Amino acid sequence: LVILYFTPTSTDNYTVYLNDADYIHFNQITLKAIGTQYANVVRFAANSTDNLISNCVIEGSTELSTSSNLSLIYASGSGINNNVFENNYFLNGSYGAYYYASSTVTGIELNNNTFESQYLQGIYGRYTDGIKITGNQFSNLSSASTSSKGIYLYYCNQDIENTKNQIDMSTGTGVYLYYCTAGSTNRGLIANNFIHVGGSSSGNYGIYVSNSDYLNFYYNSVNITNTYTYSSAFYLPNESSSYSSYLQLQNNQFVNTGGGYAIYFYEGGALNASDYNNLYTTGTYFSSYYGTGYNDLSAWQGATSKDLNSVSLNPEFVSNTDLHVQSYLLDNLGYPAAGVNDDIDGEARHMTLPD
């Protein structure tokens, strides 16, 4: 067992520092930063590319801080391409992985990691085009910060992939996508995710999308137990400019048992297609469209001409966080979605009647 640890300072805020470093592999090492104001564990500087961190424990500060000075992974600058993080355990810190590129980078992957007890965000990506985030688990993210997010992507374009992640938020937002623009021939994919958001405060959503284009949302299961009236399983806010467009929603479970919305679209024009979903809420308002609330699926269908083959049923999830469906009424009600042939467990979906 190899353990590397250091008490960072304002001038040397890192345990491991990669500067213009390429093709380095850290494997089966415990990396720790000990500090209350400065505690970056692994820091990537400009032109550090093609590095791999796998099977490591990456542990940081338990301070309740929103400062990126306490993020476990801190990457900034240009040319920080093709860096991969897989099968790691990220513990504590303000962020699990804070990837703040100054210009577009590509080839960033975070696969099959566990993120636990981050105060603000599990993963933050900026200018990380085509980022792949797959098979990660997020738990015990701070209940002290309503701004907490499991995954936050900002100006991440092209064919981003956010799939098979299990996100348990005691408060905050599961997946937050802001100014993420893909294309008609290389659409982004958000699929096969389990997302739970609890709590009682405002500003809590399962999936939040703003100013983003050409994204496919397929086979996601979202469970909102947050009791604030305006919480929503899927949420698109009022956009003052750069309106979202060409969003497709199919075969999702958007469920709100806390009394809020199943789906909320302020900018209705963003919704290119939505169908074969299960939209369910225990709240007074089922959905909202262009600022008008609708009480049930039929009213939503009439207002939007969307979700004509969708249903509104209690899926009977195994638990608040285990979102496997137990209701037989939802068997075989989906429609095949291109590019998604298995489920979150890796089991093949039915080729003609998926659920």
Side-chain angles (χ1 to χ4, degrees):
L1 177 64
V2 177
I3 300 175
L4 299 178
Y5 66 91
F6 183 66
T7 302
T9 65
S10 59
T11 54
D12 296 307
N13 186 10
Y14 50 81
T15 298
V16 174
Y17 184 44
L18 301 178
N19 185 10
D20 201 10
D22 304 333
Y23 298 101
I24 297 174
H25 183 190
F26 292 88
N27 186 50
Q28 295 184 329
I29 301 174
T30 294
L31 304 170
K32 298 177 65 174
I34 303 169
T36 57
Q37 291 183 294
Y38 302 96
N40 292 157
V41 182
V42 182
R43 195 174 182 104
F44 290 77
N47 302 314
S48 294
T49 68
D50 298 282
N51 299 293
L52 171 62
I53 299 178
S54 64
N55 304 301
C56 291
V57 174
I58 302 172
E59 183 178 351
S61 174
T62 58
E63 289 293 309
L64 303 183
S65 170
T66 61
S67 172
S68 61
N69 287 326
L70 296 176
S71 62
L72 303 182
I73 301 294
Y74 184 99
S76 67
S78 60
I80 44 177
N81 299 291
N82 303 320
N83 294 308
V84 176
F85 309 85
E86 59 184 25
N87 300 312
N88 301 293
Y89 176 47
F90 292 89
L91 180 62
N92 302 324
S94 55
Y95 298 79
Y98 181 83
Y99 221 93
Y100 192 90
S102 59
S103 58
T104 298
V105 298
T106 60
I108 309 307
E109 297 188 19
L110 298 103
N111 303 319
N112 303 313
N113 302 287
T114 296
F115 294 84
E116 183 175 347
S117 300
Q118 282 74 52
Y119 179 72
L120 189 61
Q121 293 168 23
I123 295 172
Y124 175 84
R126 178 179 185 261
Y127 292 135
T128 53
D129 283 9
I131 187 171
K132 314 301 182 192
I133 303 173
T134 298
N136 301 284
Q137 295 191 18
F138 302 79
S139 64
N140 200 32
L141 299 191
S142 176
S143 60
S145 175
T146 58
S147 298
S148 184
K149 298 172 180 66
I151 298 171
Y152 182 2
L153 300 183
Y154 180 45
Y155 282 110
C156 297
N157 300 323
Q158 305 307 320
D159 53 341
I160 61 172
E161 288 186 16
N162 182 341
T163 61
K164 297 183 179 179
N165 300 293
Q166 299 183 52
I167 303 172
D168 180 20
M169 307 289 296
S170 54
T171 190
T173 297
V175 173
Y176 192 104
L177 305 175
Y178 190 48
Y179 282 99
C180 293
T181 299
S184 59
T185 59
N186 60 341
R187 299 178 67 93
L189 179 65
I190 299 87
N192 281 334
N193 297 293
F194 280 5
I195 301 170
H196 167 252
V197 179
S200 59
S201 58
S202 61
N204 290 258
Y205 312 102
I207 298 174
Y208 181 110
V209 183
S210 182
N211 307 96
S212 299
D213 308 299
Y214 293 105
L215 301 178
N216 294 337
F217 298 86
Y218 295 158
Y219 297 109
N220 297 289
S221 294
V222 179
N223 185 30
I224 304 298
T225 59
N226 178 280
T227 55
Y228 186 70
T229 304
Y230 296 103
S231 66
S232 185
F234 190 100
Y235 186 83
L236 188 142
N238 183 8
E239 301 168 333
S240 59
S241 62
S242 301
Y243 302 110
S244 294
S245 61
Y246 299 104
L247 305 182
Q248 295 189 1
L249 283 61
Q250 185 176 319
N251 301 328
N252 300 287
Q253 305 275 345
F254 291 144
V255 175
N256 193 325
T257 57
Y261 294 88
I263 186 169
Y264 189 110
F265 262 83
Y266 197 95
E267 303 294 345
L271 195 54
N272 176 231
S274 184
D275 210 355
Y276 297 95
N277 300 297
N278 179 33
L279 309 176
Y280 179 79
T281 179
T282 58
T284 302
Y285 284 122
F286 173 87
S287 60
S288 181
Y289 191 65
Y290 281 119
T292 300
Y294 297 95
N295 294 330
D296 54 32
L297 177 60
S298 178
W300 168 256
Q301 291 168 330
T304 65
S305 299
K306 308 294 185 184
D307 285 298
L308 300 182
N309 294 289
S310 295
V311 296
S312 183
L313 298 168
N314 185 344
E316 299 177 16
F317 292 135
V318 171
S319 70
N320 284 344
T321 58
D322 183 347
L323 306 188
H324 290 92
V325 172
Q326 298 185 102
S327 175
Y328 72 91
L329 297 175
L330 288 165
D331 288 349
N332 304 322
L333 293 186
Y335 189 83
V340 184
N341 300 316
D342 62 359
D343 64 15
I344 192 172
D345 301 314
E347 297 180 0
R349 293 191 179 276
H350 195 283
M351 293 182 64
T352 57
L353 295 171
D355 54 22

